[in-house]
Amino acid sequence: QVQLVESGGGLVQAGGSLRLSCAASGSVFRINSMGWYRQAPGKQRELVATITKGGNTNYADSVKGRFTISRDNAKNTVYLQMNSLKPEDTAVYYCNARTYSNIPAGGHWGQGTQVTVSS
């Protein structure tokens, strides 16, 4: 099993920055890609950004140029630096870790951290 613990959420004004962290523990050797998803009230969970163990990244169009995902493999930790935040970035942000085998399907999830951007 893999456990994920997120931190770094909070309340920030529009235009501000936040940095999220997600530390993985347990069977971390099974992890290939890690990433961040978010879910706003009344909306489906959506991809924010992902990063493979080799460092390949993928971003949602809505965050390109503003958010940066990075990963410290030695610490089994993934980060999301969020700059130029907008009120529409308000959501619960979830860390995700997918294994090489994709078991469980969709990967492991953290408990979520709230990000609120005020206008």
Side-chain angles (χ1 to χ4, degrees):
Q1 280 291 349
V2 173
Q3 293 80 43
L4 302 172
V5 177
E6 301 119 330
S7 60
L11 173 64
V12 65
Q13 288 189 330
S17 298
L18 282 175
R19 189 192 195 207
L20 305 183
S21 300
C22 172
S25 61
S27 300
V28 295
F29 61 93
R30 301 183 187 275
I31 298 173
N32 179 15
S33 65
M34 296 185 74
W36 292 93
Y37 290 71
R38 67 186 181 187
Q39 188 167 18
K43 295 188 176 181
Q44 289 189 331
R45 191 172 298 189
E46 64 177 5
L47 169 74
V48 177
T50 61
I51 185 168
T52 67
K53 198 161 189 176
N56 293 319
T57 59
N58 180 49
Y59 293 93
D61 288 343
S62 59
V63 307
K64 283 181 181 176
R66 300 188 298 121
F67 292 9
T68 302
I69 190 169
S70 61
R71 181 171 176 172
D72 185 334
N73 290 327
K75 295 182 178 180
N76 300 308
T77 300
V78 64
Y79 306 96
L80 186 68
Q81 178 66 44
M82 305 185 291
N83 299 328
S84 302
L85 282 160
K86 304 175 181 180
E88 51 263 44
D89 294 318
T90 295
V92 178
Y93 284 68
Y94 295 91
C95 180
N96 174 267
R98 292 183 183 247
T99 64
Y100 290 98
S101 65
N102 199 31
I103 297 174
H108 300 272
W109 295 92
Q111 80 284 358
T113 185
Q114 177 71 46
V115 171
T116 303
V117 184
S118 64
S119 58

